[in-house]
């Protein structure tokens, strides 16, 4: 074999060796890629299984939640029905109790004697008021059995030992003038005394009048034809001593004597500077009821 043949064989051997090398290299690379794809496929299958589990769990949870919601709604409905039943039972019990009370009251009223009207009723007012020497006090406002209202005017004044108006610093006594008036409700409004109205026999109403208001009220009372004014005599009393004014008459009803008419008890207390009279007033009117007047 000549040299050319030898070189050809060598080249052929080298070519075959290189081809086998590159073929093995390609095979190894393919095997590596196949292994990687297998791993990725296995990991993908794992996560797919996990996702399927989560979806199944969510589906179960959603079903349980829907069941819980339905159960809660049913519970609320039952509670509402129970509440309605309780309200209905309470209303029925209250209605039965009211009917029983009404029946009992009716039976008692039928079996009870008619209440007897008092032959004489007493209306009173007890109060304290601080007045300047020229101010006056109005109290009362009772509704009398004859339908009229009654008011009492209390007019105190400070006088000296000669009976004249006391000057500051003089020893003073208190002169009290009382006026009792009966008048209809309309007249009470005309005199701006509607706030004096009281519905019971006890009154704490009071109004303090300045000298000009006092003069105007006296004039209105005297000239009104539907107003009956009774002026009581004046009374003189010392500082802190109780005085009594009354204009009463005797009334006999069923063999019993009653004293009817107005009365007034006052206890005046003069301040140290002589500018204030602290008045404790107890006013009363006793009036016969109905036809017994």
């Amino acid at each position: 074999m000549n040299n050319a043949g030898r070189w050809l064989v060598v080249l052929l051997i080298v070519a075959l060796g290189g081809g086998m090398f590159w073929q093995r290299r390609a095979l190894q690379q393919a095997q590596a890629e196949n292994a990687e794809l297998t791993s990725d496929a296995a990991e993908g299958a794992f996560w797919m299984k996990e996702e399927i589990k989560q979806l199944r769990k969510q589906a179960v949870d959603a079903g349980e939640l829907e069941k819980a919601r339905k159960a809660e709604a049913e519970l609320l409905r039952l509670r509402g029905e129970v509440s309605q039943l309780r309200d209905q039972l309470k209303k029925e019990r209250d209605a039965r109790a009211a009917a029983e009370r009404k029946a009992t009251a009716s039976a008692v009223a039928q079996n009870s004697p008619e209440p007897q009207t008092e032959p004489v009723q007493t209306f009173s007012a007890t109060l304290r008021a601080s007045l300047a020497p020229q101010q006056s006090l109005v109290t009362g406002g009772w509704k009398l059995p004859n339908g009229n209202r009654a008011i009492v005017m209390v007019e105190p004044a400070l006088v000296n030992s000669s009976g004249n108006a006391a000057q500051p610093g003089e020893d003073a006594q208190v002169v009290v003038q009382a006026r009792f008036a009966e008048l209809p409700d309309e007249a009470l409004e005309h005199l701006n005394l509607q706030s004096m109205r009281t519905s019971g026999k006890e009154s704490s109403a009071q109004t303090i009048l300045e000298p000009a208001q006092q003069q105007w009220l006296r004039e209105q009372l005297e000239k009104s034809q539907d107003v009956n004014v009774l002026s009581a005599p004046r009374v003189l009393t010392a500082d802190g001593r109780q005085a009594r004014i009354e204009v009463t008459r005797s009334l006999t009803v069923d063999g019993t004597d009653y004293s009817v008419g107005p009365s007034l008890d006052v206890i005046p207390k003069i301040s140290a500077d002589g500018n204030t009279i602290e008045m404790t007033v107890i006013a009363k009117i006793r009036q016969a009821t109905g036809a017994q007047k």
Side-chain angles (χ1 to χ4, degrees):
M1 181 179 295
N2 55 19
N3 291 332
R6 292 192 185 101
W7 283 107
L8 181 60
V9 172
V10 170
L11 290 174
L12 181 60
I13 293 171
V14 170
L16 290 173
M20 294 178 64
F21 171 79
W22 287 111
Q23 186 177 4
R24 183 179 297 174
R25 180 78 176 262
L27 179 61
Q28 290 176 348
Q29 185 175 358
Q31 289 177 347
E33 291 178 355
N34 185 40
E36 184 177 356
L37 289 174
T38 301
S39 176
D40 291 343
E43 184 177 359
F46 171 79
W47 288 113
M48 184 174 292
K49 289 180 181 180
E50 290 296 321
E51 187 172 356
I52 291 172
K53 289 181 181 179
Q54 292 295 328
L55 290 174
R56 288 177 178 174
K57 182 178 180 181
Q58 289 178 3
V60 172
D61 291 346
E64 294 297 329
L65 180 60
E66 183 63 23
K67 290 180 181 179
R69 287 175 178 173
K70 290 181 179 180
E72 184 179 6
E74 181 67 13
L75 179 60
L76 292 175
R77 185 185 67 80
L78 293 175
R79 286 179 178 175
E81 291 181 356
V82 170
S83 179
Q84 290 179 357
L85 289 174
R86 286 177 178 173
D87 291 342
Q88 184 177 356
L89 290 174
K90 184 178 183 300
K91 290 179 181 179
E92 292 177 356
R93 286 197 299 266
D94 292 344
R96 286 198 300 269
E100 291 175 358
R101 288 195 298 269
K102 185 176 181 180
T104 302
S106 178
V108 170
Q110 291 177 358
N111 296 325
S112 299
E114 291 293 329
Q116 297 182 354
T117 303
E118 299 177 3
V120 174
Q121 296 186 32
T122 301
F123 304 85
S124 63
T126 303
L127 54 109
R128 293 177 61 115
S130 182
L131 305 176
Q134 294 183 342
Q135 290 179 331
S136 62
L137 173 71
V138 180
T139 187
W142 312 281
K143 186 84 167 182
L144 300 178
N146 61 14
N148 287 333
R149 295 280 177 179
I151 60 172
V152 182
M153 291 183 62
V154 183
E155 305 169 25
L158 296 180
V159 298
N160 56 25
S161 58
S162 301
N164 300 318
Q167 301 299 318
E170 286 187 312
D171 290 336
Q173 293 181 304
V174 182
V175 174
V176 180
Q177 172 73 61
R179 288 182 172 84
F180 305 90
E182 287 188 24
L183 63 164
D185 278 318
E186 296 79 7
L188 204 68
E189 293 183 4
H190 174 70
L191 299 173
N192 296 323
L193 295 175
Q194 58 268 25
S195 62
M196 301 292 298
R197 289 193 185 99
T198 182
S199 59
K201 296 181 181 179
E202 299 287 336
S203 175
S204 60
Q206 60 173 287
T207 298
I208 296 177
L209 303 179
E210 298 297 333
Q213 295 173 315
Q214 174 184 332
Q215 179 65 27
W216 179 85
L217 180 58
R218 281 203 303 262
E219 293 174 355
Q220 294 297 315
L221 291 174
E222 291 172 358
K223 72 179 184 181
S224 298
Q225 296 181 354
D226 53 355
V227 176
N228 181 24
V229 181
L230 176 61
S231 295
R234 294 185 178 186
V235 63
L236 177 67
T237 186
D239 180 24
R241 180 177 298 177
Q242 181 174 348
R244 182 175 180 82
I245 300 173
E246 62 180 352
V247 184
T248 58
R249 62 185 177 88
S250 180
L251 177 68
T252 302
V253 181
D254 296 333
T256 303
D257 293 332
Y258 296 92
S259 178
V260 296
S263 65
L264 179 71
D265 289 277
V266 295
I267 304 175
K269 181 64 178 175
I270 305 172
S271 63
D273 57 9
N275 292 327
T276 304
I277 306 173
E278 190 75 26
M279 301 282 292
T280 299
V281 176
I282 303 173
K284 291 184 180 180
I285 292 181
R286 292 171 61 83
Q287 191 174 76
T289 304
Q292 297 170 340
K293 181 183 174 185

